[in-house]
Structures are given as C-alpha cells and as structure tokens.
Amino acid sequence: MPELPEVETVRVGLSRLLPGRVITKIVHDWDKSFPNPVNEVNQFAISASVTAVRRRAKVLMIDLSSGYSFVIHLKMTGQLVFVKEHKQGKVESKKEKELVASPMSRQVSPSLRFGAGHPSDSLVNRLPDKSTRVTITFSDGSNLYFNDQRKFGWMRLMPTILIPEIDFMKKVGPEPLEDSFQPSVFGSQLMKRKNSMIKAALLDQTVLAGIGNIYADESLWGAKIHPETRVNKLNENEIKLLLKEIKYVLNLSIEKGGSTDRNYVNAEGKRGSYIDFARVFRKEGQPCQRCSTTIIKTRVAGRGTHLCPTCQQLKRLT
DNA sequence: CACTTGACCTGTCCGC
DNA sequence: TGCGGACAGGTCAAGT
C-alpha cells in the first residue's frame, strides 16, 4: 500500500533513472489505468523526454519536455518499475520466462515470489506480467512498467501547468515532512475534523498529505493515543507528540525504503524493509514492546486498526 | 454540513 | 480439492 514513504522512494529512484530519456512508445491493456486518447498521447508524449519526477502527497508526476506530465496514483497495488534494456539478448530472458511459466513457480504467491531469500532483482526479469497495465518504452530500449494487480491505480497525461487545478491537488493538506509543518499548523488542520476519531482525521488527505493505514497506526502507538479518540479531546501536548511520531515513522520508513506489506516495490523492483521495524501494524497477538500487553486488531473508521490496549487508552474525561 | 459507508478491483486465506 | 465469502485499503461518490 504505497503511502508517502513508498511513493517518495519511487520518486527518488525514478529521478535517478528517467530524466533525459526519450519516449518512443506507450501501450496499455486497461483503459481506466491510462484513459488518454491515442492522438493526445502521440502528440504530447511520444518523442518527448523526461525532465523531472516530482511527488505531492501520494501522487507522482513525471514531467515531459512537451509541457505535459504523467500524473500517477499507485493506490493499493500499483508499482512503477524501470527495466533497462536486456543486453544479453533473448536467450537469458527466455530461460527466465520458462521458469515463470513452469507449474511450480506459477503457484508461488506474489507475496512470496519476491520474499526474503529470493534475489530481489528477480521481478525485473519477469516484466511485463499480467498485472502490467501500461508500458512506456524509451529510445534506448529501456521500459517503465506501471503494474497494478487490483486496477485501482491510474496514470494520465495532462498539461503540467494544469496539475494544481486537479480537485485533489486543490484540497490536499500540507506535506508532513516540510519544516513549516509545525504543531500549530497540525492542530489547526486537525480542527477540520474536530468531531472525528483521530485515526479518520489522519487518513483524511485534506488534513495532512500522505498518511495511510500503516503510518496512522504506527504514529498513534508512538504517541500513546487510542485511534478512536475524538480530535477535540486531544490536548496540545498530545498533538505535539503525535506530530513528532508522524515525522519519525515517515522518516524512518523512507530510510528503510518504505514498507512492503504485500507487493510494494521501488523503481528498481526492490522491496522496502520498514515493516520489520513496525511496532503495531500486523502485530496482533504479539506483545507490545513497551508494556508486553498483547497487541489487538480492531476496526476503526472502516479500516483494520492495530493498537496496544494498555498504552493507548481511550480518554473518558469531559 | 459533517461525517461515515460503499464502490472500485483482484488475489489470498479461511472454513466447510 | 473446491468453493463461497471475508478481507486487504486510497480515494471518491453516495448515503446518513
């Protein structure tokens, strides 16, 4: 589930790999993944070169020399993986494909395919695969694959200057890792959802940008706040502490290359390791590392929610 | 109006 | 072994 750290990791990778490359071909197999008409793609993407790769919230932008950009949202299962031209020719890649096509390896689940103990670069040899929605080919023979098993994600081509006019961009809240995002700003943003449960407010992209289910649970545990606490019951100290925890978990995750819970990979097809450092997310049944109470999983704001029932008590005063 | 729930999708896992 | 159904969650539309 790409959230801010995962999308940022992809951005960093693509910023190293894409600028200067010239697009020669784009194919897609699912219109909702890439709805632009062919003539528009031919006019504004083909023969254009990549000038920059940017991120805002969980949205990626690949700017082109034509004045157009790809705007991309990975949603839950989206991947953007860059694969250099296979210089060894087709002999080796054929062998790889035979391996993939054999009954045994076909039954290995995607979550295990790239798991620990497997060569982390094996994914790139298997692309494109059946989750590949869009393939962008560059003049040197390299490819950028937009894979999306569940088809929730999308990418579209649009004029760069019109990106700020997208409804989402107009409504989205501040970037939590900006220095200017201080407790006072966080507090006033939270007041937009003063009667909501804090978890719902953290997931609201208009309050702050880039938090999803993993980092909501992780930061609430860090700040010892129950996810069902109403926003207007939080005091100044708790808001300050929660912001500190948000910055901490997001920065730590970026450092670890993001979280690979199911199928997230970076621009080179590699997994992130933040999940190994998680304190509550997917830790139900295990002891809390602060107090040893068993971590539980419940449902809050329609989302699976992990918490320590001892450290994170629901406030009952006033 | 503020807030919550359902729809969009596919693959996995669990119980029967 | 197969099958139905619950579940996973980012965001928008629809519902309360």
Side-chain angles (χ1 to χ4, degrees):
Chain A
M1 292 120 267
E3 304 179 30
L4 189 153
E6 291 74 31
V7 180
E8 177 62 15
T9 303
V10 172
R11 184 198 67 76
V12 168
L14 292 179
S15 306
R16 268 203 328 266
L17 295 163
L18 295 187
R21 295 188 196 274
V22 176
I23 297 170
T24 54
K25 187 181 172 187
I26 302 178
V27 294
H28 71 283
D29 83 332
W30 182 252
D31 281 348
K32 288 181 182 175
S33 294
F34 186 47
N36 294 79
V38 175
N39 61 337
E40 193 177 16
V41 173
N42 286 340
Q43 189 174 353
F44 299 108
I46 303 300
S47 299
S49 63
V50 175
T51 58
V53 184
R54 297 178 291 138
R55 177 189 66 78
R56 174 76 170 100
K58 301 172 190 171
V59 176
L60 277 166
M61 293 155 278
I62 300 176
D63 297 332
L64 304 179
S65 56
S66 58
Y68 273 59
S69 300
F70 293 111
V71 180
I72 303 163
H73 202 306
L74 301 174
K75 292 288 181 86
M76 251 91 74
T77 56
Q79 305 172 330
L80 274 175
V81 183
F82 179 81
V83 182
K84 286 187 297 230
E85 186 190 11
H86 294 291
K87 291 193 173 165
Q88 299 301 319
K90 289 176 182 170
V91 180
E92 265 195 313
S93 60
K94 259 187 185 171
K95 274 182 187 169
E96 290 285 347
K97 280 180 181 168
E98 280 165 19
L99 278 173
V100 174
S102 70
M104 265 185 71
S105 57
R106 196 187 305 162
Q107 289 181 2
V108 176
S109 70
S111 57
L112 293 176
R113 272 196 302 173
F114 319 120
H118 292 257
S120 57
D121 62 348
S122 61
L123 171 62
V124 301
N125 296 317
R126 296 177 174 161
L127 294 176
D129 66 17
K130 66 177 176 178
S131 75
T132 301
R133 306 298 165 211
V134 186
T135 302
I136 299 176
T137 303
F138 298 98
S139 58
D140 61 358
S142 57
N143 290 286
L144 179 65
Y145 297 104
F146 175 37
N147 305 322
D148 188 17
Q149 185 179 91
R150 288 174 68 182
K151 300 180 176 178
F152 280 21
W154 48 262
M155 60 181 275
R156 60 197 49 154
L157 184 67
M158 63 180 293
T160 307
I161 58 162
L162 292 184
I163 293 174
E165 304 305 316
I166 299 172
D167 275 352
F168 177 86
M169 290 299 184
K170 285 197 280 196
K171 293 187 305 185
V172 71
E175 289 287 328
L177 295 181
E178 297 263 306
D179 288 341
S180 58
F181 194 59
Q182 293 296 315
S184 58
V185 181
F186 185 38
S188 62
Q189 287 295 109
L190 280 174
M191 282 308 115
K192 288 182 170 183
R193 299 288 299 262
K194 59 183 177 180
N195 295 314
S196 296
M197 295 178 284
I198 182 61
K199 172 139 182 183
L202 290 180
L203 294 174
D204 183 342
Q205 300 299 296
T206 71
V207 170
L208 77 169
I211 304 285
N213 209 37
I214 297 174
Y215 304 107
D217 284 4
E218 287 293 309
S219 56
L220 287 167
W221 180 89
K224 302 186 185 179
I225 296 170
H226 193 289
E228 290 177 316
T229 309
R230 298 287 159 175
V231 169
N232 58 14
K233 294 273 175 71
L234 293 171
N235 62 37
E236 234 173 82
N237 228 19
E238 288 171 315
I239 288 173
K240 194 175 162 187
L241 182 56
L242 180 55
L243 177 56
K244 191 180 153 201
E245 290 297 326
I246 288 168
K247 292 192 183 228
Y248 169 76
V249 295
L250 294 179
N251 278 320
L252 177 61
S253 185
I254 289 171
E255 187 187 318
K256 302 299 176 191
S259 299
T260 298
D261 178 44
R262 300 192 128 74
N263 63 3
Y264 163 77
V265 293
N266 70 10
E268 285 125 41
K270 294 180 181 169
R271 300 161 60 88
S273 67
Y274 174 83
I275 212 76
D276 299 335
F277 299 83
R279 289 86 49 93
V280 279
F281 190 78
R282 294 279 156 84
K283 299 289 184 189
E284 60 269 32
Q286 298 181 42
C288 170
Q289 56 180 254
R290 268 192 310 241
C291 74
S292 301
T293 305
T294 303
I295 302 292
I296 59 169
K297 181 175 180 183
T298 60
R299 208 159 182 83
V300 178
R303 296 282 174 262
T305 298
H306 313 76
L307 66 115
C308 169
T310 300
C311 294
Q312 296 168 270
Q313 305 249 347
L314 199 52
K315 280 192 169 184
R316 302 202 178 280
L317 301 175
T318 62

